Amino acid sequence: MDFSWTDEQVGFRRRVRNFLQANLPKDWYENYVFGLGSEQQLDFSREFCAKLAEEGLLTSHWPKEYGGADSSLWDLFIESEEMWDFAEPRGPQYMGTNWIGPALLKFGTAEQKAEHLPRIASGKYIWCQGFSEPQAGTDLAALTTRAERAGSKYIINGMKIWTSYAYKADWMFLLARTSSSRKSISVFLVPMNAPGIRVVGFPGLVEPGHLHEVHFTDVEVPVSARVGEEGQAWPIVTYALSHERVGLPRYQWADRVLGLAIEMLKIDGKFTETLQAESARILAKIEVARVLAYAVMNERIADGARAEATLPNVQRIAAADACSDLLSFLMDNLPETLCGRSKFIELFYRAQIVSTIASGTYELQLDLLSHRALQLPRMYT
Ligand SMILES: Cc1cc2nc3c(=O)[nH]c(=O)nc-3n(C[C@H](O)[C@H](O)[C@H](O)COP(=O)(O)OP(=O)(O)OC[C@H]3O[C@@H](n4cnc5c(N)ncnc54)[C@H](O)[C@@H]3O)c2cc1C
């Protein structure tokens, strides 16, 4: 098997890296990288992504007619690896480019594509994901936010929780119940400035400003805001989540953090043989996650994102395992990096400690895997 990159891909990676070095502020690590949900980082994200878009680097893997360059999905991956090496300066816009855009490309109407894809491709719009509710996380089908049809409109009432970046988002990719049957859920594209939407932030480990409740009181959207047929959210959600789950090369961030940690341990004279062996073991796990991510990408390029694919779950589990081991390694051997010595490592710690929960829990990944790959009965319904 040949794992090497082509000359073109190496050139593309160099272009992205040069761009990052030229366009990230000099105080990036001190003042921006610390706050995934901070106002400063989110404002920065709009300017930075607009520049990326002008350079043709934001959505190069999209079709030309929607602001892309028809380039391979590998370019998306190369770009994401480079971004995560800098703790993802695109901020929430990775969601627009990585999975909301692709979901609209596959399931959106011509009108929705024309309205939203050029905006996402411009890098100036922030989206949030309105899936989880207080009683509906893993069990998404239990959600109670309702969208009731009233002629040419839907009227939305209910509440979402854990909504990352909601206070700065322009649009929400919303799931709402459109009839009382358990699985009758539909997807809506909702402008966050619609009357009746109230966003309330709450503190979280990642950063104040990251997490929110979003309340809907008689929010009206036109029928044309619905993606797909009424009650047919599941194929869209499955497709979007399979993109989301592998869209983040966390292993790249972990790789960078492990390298920094080793440098510090060497400076401190603490890089003992035991720690060398431990860090080598973690590095091997990071590389497993990387190779599995490449395998997912390979499969996707060959066959598209199939709902029944199991590799994305395997990759997600491997990446979460590698990150968890690294978090323990940091806590055991460099606890001072988590309280002042390194903002970059502290952010990694804060962001990755939730990686076994956000975008589908670790246990859910195992459940999906056991069901799809081993044909065992499902624990979650
Ligand atoms: C930092 C962060 C950012 C997030 N951002 C967003 C966002 O932008 N938009 C959004 O919609 N959501 C977001 N989420 C929510 C996330 O998707 C949910 O937290 C996740 O789906 C789990 O749901 P829950 O929190 O309700 O936990 P639960 O589903 O209640 O699960 C709690 C625990 O119970 C286990 N469990 C659940 N059901 C079963 C069962 N039937 N059998 C056995 N075990 C079970 C789970 O595996 C888990 O360990 C975010 C979460 C975090 C932490």
Side-chain angles (χ1 to χ4, degrees), residues 340-358:
R341 184 169 178 193
S342 167
K343 286 183 173 177
F344 191 74
I345 293 182
E346 184 179 335
L347 175 68
F348 174 82
Y349 196 93
R350 285 168 177 262
Q352 293 308 318
I353 206 163
V354 299
S355 69
T356 51
I357 304 172

Side-chain angles (χ1 to χ4, degrees), residues 129-133 136-139 161-164 206 210-211 354 357-361 363-364 379-380:
Q129 180 198 71
F131 288 7
S132 306
E133 297 183 6
T138 304
D139 186 10
I161 196 167
W162 304 110
T163 322
S164 304
V206 179
H210 185 220
L211 295 172
V354 299
I357 304 172
S359 67
T361 66
E363 293 81 6
L364 176 67
M379 180 171 73
Y380 299 90

Side-chain angles (χ1 to χ4, degrees), residues 76-122:
L76 163 70
F77 231 71
I78 291 168
E79 180 170 28
S80 292
E81 282 191 345
E82 291 302 312
M83 293 291 162
W84 281 94
D85 212 34
F86 290 87
E88 188 47 281
R90 287 175 301 179
Q93 295 210 40
Y94 72 82
M95 292 200 282
T97 60
N98 287 12
W99 64 264
I100 295 173
L104 291 179
L105 272 167
K106 188 166 170 69
F107 296 101
T109 60
E111 193 190 12
Q112 287 163 347
K113 288 179 190 169
E115 182 177 5
H116 293 293
L117 294 178
R119 286 184 180 167
I120 297 175
S122 79

